[in-house]
Structure formats: structure tokens, C-alpha cells
Amino acid sequence: MAHIIIGTAGHIDHGKSALVKKLTGTDPDRLAEEQQRGMTIDIGFAFLNKDIAFIDVPGHERFIKNMVAGVSTVDMALLVVAADDGVMPQTREHLDILNLLQLKKGIIAITKSDLVEKDWLMLVQEEIKSLTAGTFLKDAPIICVSSHTGDGIDSLKQTILETTKTLSPRPDRGVFWMPVDRSFTIKGFGTVVTGSVLSGRAQTNDLLELLPGKKSVRVRGLQSHGNNVETISIGDRAAINIANIEKEAVKRGDILATANYFQPTKLLDAKINILKSITKTVKNRARVRVHIGTREVLARIKCLEHEKIEPGASQFVQLLMEEAVIAMRRDPIVIRQYSPTTTIGGGIILDTQPKPHKRFQKSVMDALSRLEKSDPEEEITTIMLQNPDSALKAEEISKLSGHLLNDVQNILEKLTDNKTIIKAGPSKTPIYYHSVSYQQIKENIKNYIDDFHKKEPLKPGIAKAELKSQINKKLNTQIFEKIIQELLDEKILAENQQWIKGFSHKINLSDKDKKTCDFIETLLIKSEFSPPAENEISSQLLLSPTDVKKMLNVLQSMGKIKRLEGDIYFPEQTIQKAINILLEFAKGADEISVSDFRTLLSTSRKYALALLSYFDEKGITERVQDVRLINKNHEE
């Protein structure tokens, strides 16, 4: 049986702690002040057996913050109502909170049943049924008990055991995730944190991360349900002895998680529901208290659909957090008014790393609607569309979507097969990109090249790096390369040396430009292995540097010259002559130095080195320390 965590709920002095003590033999009120005042202030813990743990929460309205921290991690609820009081204000508020946290199962215990008449007890039961109508507790068993006499305790215990067997297992997201609800120091051991493990597993000596502060910690020891263990996993009520950190550096609401997996954020997209029972509307930019897991954070509500949210209504919002938080997609949240601190609503997180949204944007509403549906395929495709600059790995999509990696990989394969998603990169570590974004980039490249040739008819094309920069600097390089290759294969683009151009693009020279090109080519051929630099060509032919550069590019695109390292231009026939000289030399030698090659060509070291570097690229030579090995079998 998986470990189950049950949270109590109910009004102050309705006997929650006494009931837990009667069920388990453990008093959950651990603080001296709680013992003295007879009132639960903070959350407490007790174990029914090795598989079932209780989290007992305070009932006083001043400690609702602690109550929410306690029940935020439970699997089912035990709502406690005292027979002599009946339904009270915190009974209602606690039930609202349990509903907002999307619990599915629970049991209702009527305590102090020995203090009232049977007829009164029946009235209290009817009151409870009226209260829970339309909630997850509408069909919950109601057990009358007395912690004083013990009446009904065995029946309640049996009902708990039977109900826990019907619980659906909590989905494991594959990474360790434990919201911290307590931290303390044990002499000789150091810092210990406790919490309910909501995902994944951890074992002794694991490196974890304390978030949102991103502090690396090592697991020194583990306890689960009060027992020393080597491993803890989803569903466990755990205590973790961690190294590398002081108790004061850990606070309730922190998350202990798999290292280097989660990123803090100050923006959350959510769908929130406002309780029908509140009397005021929630306005845009309202300051509220947001409860996420065991943490409370102040935030502003940015209404994305309407100016305000009426009681009983719901709306997509962006939460502007005042402090960085850690959350997972589809986590439930509770929202309480800033002042006075009453519960006003709650909802679910739809995106943990959103971009800032403009209000009243249909595209934003459409994206959030798809995320709200909780259709894994819809969620994944929406996530891809929201990240048009970056192709994502399956691990990143799993993290962003909250779905298990294996499930994500299966969905991605399906979406790739039906062409919804494009796969690129190495087969062992592929990346994924949405086809809509992919096709848009492809169209943008085609249009840009067309416009480029219209504006610059004498340019041979555009360098690949410059093209990427003009289209989208942030675009994933592997996706860009895949698109370029497709356009080359489709004969929409062509590649000429370092240039990308339209497949049918040709440079049409005027008589004047053709004459200038002929002059430059002739000058370079005559200069043989010591070609003039651009400024020298400009001086000798009385041309502007701009015109020289333009004509050199034209000659390159026509395949008549090559630009080598250091902006040195050689005619193709001169390069071929240098290769022939090198291969003739190779008949009597296996290697050549820069100095030897410089002598063979009767040129300077600069030009000899530029040619040898080019030969290295082409496989004609191979540099080994200060010499080049000559590939005698090279075929140009």
C-alpha cells in the first residue's frame, strides 16, 4: 500500500488534536505553548500505522496560514465538527480551502458526541450534509465519536482504513519534490527538515537543491513515518537530515527538490475561482496572499480577461509575485485577501515560466485554455508554441508540462509522426520544435532572401550567420540549419562558398561593372602569389573601397576568386597553380614548412600561410606542429 497523508480540518476547540491522539496514541500538539493553552497553533504530526500519517492543523482564524500549509500536501481530509457547537465559521472556511486544494476524498467526524442528545446529533448531521452539498465531501461517511469515552473511535479507524484503499495514487512526476513544513536542529546531526514527499524519490548521499534560494545540500540521513530508511519516495511523510546548511537558512515554504531542475519565478499563469460567499469583487492589481504548497507569498492579481472577478466567477490571471517562488504546473493554490486575511478563492497553476502578458489578448486566452484542459498533447503543443525561439529537449518539456518523461517522449513521437512537431539534432538527444513556428521561420527566410536580392542585386548572397541574425538571433541553431538544408534540398536556396542565395539568383552586370571586374581579376592574376589587398586595388584602379568590395564579392560568387583567411583574395587558377607546385614538391618529400612553401612560391610568409591554411581545410595538407603533412593522393 502506498503511504497516505490525512489532514484534519475544522473550527477551533472542536477536538481535532484530541481525536488524532485517540486514533494514534500520539499528541500532535508538540509546542509547549500548545500544551499550556490547550490550543493548536502550528501543524502537528502523528502516525496511525506504518502507511498512514496525520497532519493536524490549527482551527483558530489567526492560524489559517498554518492550516493551509498543513493541508496543502495531504491525500485526503478528516473534517471535524463538534457536536455541541455544530458548523462554525472556520468549519466553512476550512471546507472552502479543502475544495480549492482539489481534494477528492474525505471523512467527517462529529466529535464530543457524548455531550449531546441523540436528536441534537441528528440535527448536526443534517447541518453538515447541507454544508457539504456540492463539495467533494457530499457523499463522505459521517462518524460520531467521543475522544473522552472512546465511542466510535474503532468505527472511524476502520472507515479510514477502507477509504484510503480507494484513493487513486498521486501521479509521480519523476523528480524529487518535497515542500518543507518544519526545520530544526538535532545535536550531533545538524539541520533536519520535514515534509510530505509529493514526487520522486531520494536516498542517502543524494545532492538536492533547496529552493527558491538554489542552495545545494547533501542528504545525510532519512526517516519515513518515524523509521530510519535509506530511501524515501512519493507519499512518504519524511524527515531529512541535510548537510551544508544551517537551520536558519531553511524556512517553511521552501522546496527540497532534484538539483538543477526547477527555476524560481516571479510570474505564474493561473485559472482562479472566487468563492460565491465573499461580498466584494476582486479588482485588477488587487494585492493578495497566495498559498503555494506550504508557502505564503504576497502577489498582485493581473486580470487577463476582464477588469475584475465577481464572487462565484473565474478568470485567467497572471500572478505577479513579490518574491521568487517555485511551483509545478497544475499545482493548486489558495488565495486569501491581504487584509483582513480571509480566504477569497483559489485555483490551479497553468504555467510556471510564462512571459509577461498583455491583457485582453485572444492568443493568450487560447493558449491558457489549452493548458487548462489538461490534455497532455494540447499542453505540450502549447508549450512549444510559447517557446518559438528555442527548440526544447524532452526533459525540458517534461519539466515545463509536469508530465512524466516517458509519457512526454511517447507523445512527442506521436506528434512528430503526424508532423505537428519537428524533430532535429542528434538521434540520442533530439530537440523538438512546433511545425507552425518552423514553417513561419521558413517563410521568413524565403521572403528575406527575395527582398535581399532586390535591394542588393550585385551581392552574391548573404552569410549564413548574418541571415540567422536578421531572421531571429535567439533561434536555435540546429533548427535554423535544418530549415536551411530543407530549402537547399528543395532548390529554393543555393549555397555558393560562404553565401546563401536564391536558387535562381544571378548577378547581371552592367558593361561598366563587368569591365571593373575584369580589371580586378586581371590584376589579381598578374600578382600571382602576392595579391594586393583591397585598399591597394582601390588605389591602383582609382575605385572607391565600396566598389572594390562589391566587385570582389561578385567575382567570388562567379567562382573566379576565393577569399582566404586574413581577407586575402586569390584567383582560382592561382590557387590551382599553388596546389600543383606543392604536389610536385611532394614527389620528393612527405611534409613541408611554411618557410619552404614561401620559398617555392617566391612570396611572403603571410600569403604562404593563408594558402596552407586553406589547404588544411580542404584536406590537401594536415598541420602537425610546425609542418604540414602532404596528402599526395588528393584530388582537386
Side-chain angles (χ1 to χ4, degrees), residues 71-167:
V71 297
S72 67
T73 60
V74 303
D75 299 295
M76 62 177 278
L78 177 61
L79 181 65
V80 177
V81 181
D84 57 344
D85 272 349
V87 172
M88 296 291 280
Q90 264 56 65
T91 312
R92 297 180 185 280
E93 185 170 14
H94 283 204
L95 180 58
D96 283 338
I97 290 168
L98 296 174
N99 264 317
L100 292 168
L101 290 171
Q102 301 183 6
L103 289 184
K104 304 299 182 187
K105 293 277 186 176
I107 299 169
I108 301 166
I110 301 178
T111 57
K112 304 184 184 183
S113 61
D114 57 315
L115 300 181
V116 300
E117 298 294 331
K118 189 173 182 180
D119 289 345
W120 181 262
L121 205 55
M122 291 177 66
L123 288 173
V124 172
Q125 289 184 52
E126 289 304 314
E127 187 182 24
I128 291 171
K129 288 179 180 178
S130 176
L131 171 71
T132 58
T135 76
F136 77 104
L137 291 178
K138 65 181 186 298
D139 298 319
I142 302 175
I143 314 294
C144 297
V145 299
S146 169
S147 299
H148 177 65
T149 66
D151 287 346
I153 295 297
D154 288 341
S155 176
L156 176 59
K157 189 178 293 186
Q158 186 60 36
T159 303
I160 289 171
L161 294 174
E162 290 172 0
T163 304
T164 55
K165 291 177 183 177
T166 67
L167 290 175

Side-chain angles (χ1 to χ4, degrees), residues 13 308 348 360 388 620 623:
D13 201 30
K308 56 188 177 182
I348 59 167
F360 317 132
I620 302 170
R623 182 178 177 180

Side-chain angles (χ1 to χ4, degrees), residues 2 82 116 178 229 261 266 297 320 338 359 363 415 425 452-453 461 494 514 534 596 616:
V116 300
M178 188 187 87
V229 293
Y261 195 88
K266 283 192 172 184
V297 186
L320 315 178
Y338 175 67
R359 301 172 66 207
S363 59
L415 293 173
F452 178 83
H453 287 319
K514 186 177 184 307
E534 290 180 33
D596 289 340
D616 291 342

